[in-house]
Amino acid sequence: MPAEMSHLPVSTRRTFLSLVGALGLGGALAACGGDSGGVDTGGGSGGGKPTLKQWYHLYGESGTEQAVQRYAQGYDRATVEVQWTPGDYESKLSSGLLSDSGPDVFEYQLNVDMVRSGQIVPLDDIVGPVRSDYTDTDITATSLDGSIYGVKIVDDTGFLYYRKSLLAAAGVQPPTTMDELINATRALDRGGVKGLFIGNDAGVTPAFGGGALLDLVLWTAGTASLTPDNKVGFTTPEAKDSLSKLRELAQSGSLLLGAPTDWWDPSAFTQELAAMQWCGLWAMPKIKEAFGDDFGIVPWPALSATVGKPATFLGGWTSMVSAKARDVDLAKDFVKWLWIDNAEAQEDFNLSYGFHIPPRKSLASRAQKLQEGVAADALRIFNESAVAPNPMWTPKMKSAFADAATAIVRGGGDIDAELAKAQQAVEAELARLAA
């Protein structure tokens, strides 16, 4: 977690961390010294049982830590010691995975360097029998080089939230294209309420938590940061048009900038500073508390009626098994027991403390909290429009593209020239990975 977030409430920090994979903020676990915790191979409190170490980042949702401790106690083949990790989880995990005393099982988001450096083991044997019960998006997000390396435990996603009454008063419909969004944002900018909030950086600055829309402007233009064969995908005419539309939106004067918190917090929307806001599923309970039924959601709009389609991101967390686990087979069995077989725990973890989507389709389709009203719309939008992050998209690639997008959208830079610089940096990274 970036140091800039250390002063924020744990719920806000948890929200940011849940997006690491979706926004490309995670990346390789860099080599560094030290270790974090140990692995007990037997005896002790386990009464002769082997011991597994299971690591989580610090969730800010009340009751979550107690819940995962309770789940762990139910596993009878080993004593599972849960490590709840405040502070910079990524650095601590990096250190732990490089030592012989780190976690056996841990949560993170898949990235190429973890796979290529042999830090994690494939989980095809435990996921394969139930593969069809996960969305294709979840499988894509947890797979690389033909193997599945993780089991999704939490699915998060985002929406364009809007006030129904404000849109009705302005005579506009929920936007489905970028032109409609720009026009709606202008029409809703009145009476001291700005039209739209997409972040204090207009969605593009490569600072912590920034770049909320960088993947979306590509997906909704029919492309992606990388093509399916891992070539640069952000230099197409459609991608350039989409960035141009985002620049038009940013220069419209109708965006809220300088809000007390950023896009991942619903305060700007619930305090009626903006009529629309891009935010996450996790914000829905607070928004419903503030407005009752006077709000709706749509995915990020398509580039146009004929190019691209609406989209949203796939975020959340994935359970993985360390290649340095003292007993890899036992660690895999525990992951299967908890995150594949234990349906009650999975639904409890996703919906009893915060507001998320259980990754198993069979659970999400029957979860009572996701069956009615806007929550049901959220599940439908997720199933129809969520796009998986590409594990090949490294932090260096993300930074290069974010720098280009910032120069284009906020600085008025030349689109072709800025994207050419980003392309050069991304291709250098792709060459490194291919070596």
Side-chain angles (χ1 to χ4, degrees):
M1 179 184 64
E4 296 96 320
M5 300 196 69
S6 61
H7 67 287
L8 297 173
V10 290
S11 59
T12 297
R13 299 200 301 266
R14 180 257 179 268
T15 294
F16 168 77
L17 285 166
S18 73
L19 292 161
V20 167
L23 304 179
L25 298 172
L29 294 172
C32 58
D35 60 64
S36 305
V39 177
D40 179 6
T41 58
S45 62
K49 291 181 182 179
T51 297
L52 291 174
K53 290 281 189 180
Q54 183 185 27
W55 286 15
Y56 294 87
H57 81 289
L58 189 153
Y59 286 76
E61 298 159 342
S62 178
T64 308
E65 181 178 5
Q66 293 75 20
V68 297
Q69 295 280 1
R70 185 174 68 251
Y71 307 153
Q73 292 172 4
Y75 185 63
D76 60 12
R77 290 193 58 195
T79 298
V80 180
E81 296 183 357
V82 173
Q83 178 169 311
W84 204 246
T85 309
D88 190 348
Y89 177 69
E90 183 174 349
S91 293
K92 293 176 182 178
L93 181 61
S94 173
S95 177
L97 290 178
L98 291 167
S99 75
D100 291 325
S101 55
D104 300 286
V105 175
F106 64 95
E107 62 171 10
Y108 201 60
Q109 295 84 18
L110 181 66
N111 65 71
V112 59
D113 286 303
M114 294 175 72
V115 174
R116 300 287 171 82
S117 62
Q119 291 182 323
I120 53 178
V121 300
L123 301 180
D124 301 82
D125 52 341
I126 65 173
V127 178
V130 293
R131 178 177 178 138
S132 62
D133 200 25
Y134 292 91
T135 65
D136 291 342
T137 308
D138 276 328
I139 295 298
T140 298
T142 54
S143 301
L144 190 67
D145 297 339
S147 294
I148 298 172
Y149 284 92
V151 178
K152 277 309 265 343
I153 65 177
V154 168
D155 275 341
D156 272 327
T157 192
F159 311 104
L160 184 64
Y161 287 87
Y162 63 88
R163 289 285 302 281
K164 293 179 179 178
S165 58
L166 295 182
L167 266 67
V172 298
Q173 296 295 317
T176 61
T177 68
M178 282 300 297
D179 281 339
E180 290 178 2
L181 178 63
I182 294 168
N183 291 335
T185 299
R186 289 186 172 125
L188 291 165
D189 181 15
R190 56 184 182 175
V193 178
K194 301 304 288 185
L196 173 65
F197 183 54
I198 55 176
N200 290 318
D201 56 9
V204 294
T205 301
F208 81 93
L213 303 176
L214 293 186
D215 284 326
L216 291 164
V217 297
L218 299 176
W219 296 335
T220 55
T223 186
S225 54
L226 296 175
T227 63
D229 58 348
N230 292 319
K231 306 293 184 183
V232 169
F234 54 74
T235 58
T236 67
E238 294 80 9
K240 294 174 184 179
D241 286 346
S242 193
L243 285 166
S244 178
K245 291 294 183 184
L246 188 60
R247 177 165 61 189
E248 183 180 350
L249 181 64
Q251 295 177 351
S252 69
S254 301
L255 290 183
L256 173 65
L257 298 171
T261 56
D262 221 314
W263 69 271
W264 28 259
D265 185 281
S267 297
F269 189 60
T270 58
Q271 293 174 9
E272 302 187 70
L273 303 179
M276 299 185 292
Q277 179 177 336
W278 178 257
C279 198
L281 172 64
W282 56 83
M284 189 173 290
K286 287 186 178 180
I287 292 172
K288 186 171 181 59
E289 181 181 352
F291 298 130
D293 293 330
D294 185 24
F295 77 97
I297 56 173
V298 291
W300 190 254
L303 175 58
S304 72
T306 58
V307 178
K309 61 181 181 179
T312 186
F313 63 82
L314 168 69
W317 293 88
T318 297
S319 186
M320 303 180 198
V321 172
S322 171
K324 287 183 176 290
R326 195 62 57 91
D327 188 333
V328 168
D329 288 338
L330 183 63
K332 289 167 66 174
D333 183 76
F334 172 67
V335 171
K336 179 179 181 295
W337 173 83
L338 177 56
W339 297 121
I340 293 179
D341 298 338
N342 195 335
E344 181 179 354
Q346 292 159 44
E347 184 170 347
D348 180 67
F349 188 68
N350 278 272
L351 290 166
S352 293
Y353 315 100
F355 199 64
H356 316 285
I357 296 174
R360 295 287 297 275
K361 291 190 292 186
S362 58
L363 297 182
S365 66
R366 67 172 185 260
Q368 184 176 359
K369 293 182 178 180
L370 296 173
Q371 302 311 305
E372 297 181 352
V374 183
D377 293 338
L379 180 59
R380 174 185 55 78
I381 291 171
F382 174 78
N383 287 332
E384 293 177 354
S385 303
V387 181
N390 188 337
M392 292 287 290
W393 188 242
T394 69
K396 285 185 178 180
M397 297 179 192
K398 172 196 172 290
S399 180
F401 180 55
D403 286 346
T406 299
I408 293 165
V409 174
R410 303 199 70 184
D414 181 80
I415 293 179
D416 290 325
E418 296 297 339
L419 291 182
K421 288 190 290 186
Q423 180 176 4
Q424 184 177 15
V426 170
E427 287 178 344
E429 268 288 88
L430 290 170
R432 176 185 69 84
L433 294 172

